Amino acid sequence: GVGGQAGRRPLIAVAGGPRATYGYIETVELLVAAGADVVTLDPISDRVLPEGTDGLIIGGGLPEAYAEELSVNESLRRAVAAFAVAGKPVAAEGTGLVWLCREFAGRPMCGILDATARVGEMVVLGYRQATAVTNSALMPAGVHAVGHKLHRTLVTPRCGPHPAWSWQGGP
């Protein structure tokens, strides 16, 4: 798990806000059950990460619907990039991952991943069984997981030199 500073529970910021939730209610429930404190981070209106943040989770509801708002929030984009560069854990799924790219549809994003993204013509839908290739804050290498895949966004390149996951037809 993610450790906080000595004497306190780890603080995990989970993307959300009044306009939308970007993940699953179970994420917060599981984090609390594992001993973390959870705070909501609104990627559209918050300008900084909550003080004392130990980990960041960005769900799948970004950025297609909010690309412009995410791009103009330069203060938070820089804070998220600095957080990742400092080696803090950041977990993102679906289009939440796109927020971590250099750009989406020509708009600047966080720039953590050396990749660009754009909306494609075809919707991809289905389930994938994946295997964790590396150890991470999410799970150890070798563990199998089943996930739902639904997107129109294309990321280039599809993965970096050390992919976290492998699946049939994927990296």
Side-chain angles (χ1 to χ4, degrees):
V2 175
Q5 294 176 351
R8 71 169 177 86
R9 295 160 49 108
L11 180 65
I12 309 299
V14 177
R19 288 198 259 179
T21 56
Y22 307 113
Y24 306 99
I25 190 77
E26 295 87 354
T27 300
V28 172
E29 292 172 352
L30 290 168
L31 287 167
V32 170
D37 288 329
V38 178
V39 63
T40 300
L41 170 73
D42 187 337
I44 303 214
S45 64
D46 289 341
R47 299 293 178 229
V48 297
L49 289 169
E51 187 174 337
T53 298
D54 296 303
L56 175 60
I57 297 177
I58 307 144
L62 298 167
E64 292 172 347
Y66 303 106
E68 186 63 32
E69 292 94 331
L70 291 166
S71 184
V72 299
N73 192 349
E74 184 177 349
S75 175
L76 185 59
R77 288 191 293 112
R78 288 179 189 235
V80 169
F83 185 81
V85 167
K88 302 281 186 151
V90 178
E93 67 167 304
T95 54
L97 179 80
V98 173
W99 189 43
L100 303 180
C101 291
R102 275 193 329 268
E103 67 176 53
F104 171 66
R107 293 178 176 95
M109 293 290 136
C110 293
I112 297 166
L113 302 175
D114 188 19
T116 61
R118 65 179 175 80
V119 176
E121 298 297 319
M122 184 174 71
V123 174
V124 175
L125 175 64
Y127 288 89
R128 303 290 187 272
Q129 180 172 338
T131 303
V133 177
T134 60
N135 290 321
S136 73
L138 299 176
M139 61 186 60
V143 171
H144 301 287
V146 176
H148 183 253
K149 187 171 186 168
L150 170 62
H151 66 82
R152 284 186 27 202
T153 303
L154 303 171
V155 175
T156 305
R158 288 184 65 191
C159 67
H162 307 287
W165 302 94
S166 69
W167 60 90
Q168 187 173 3

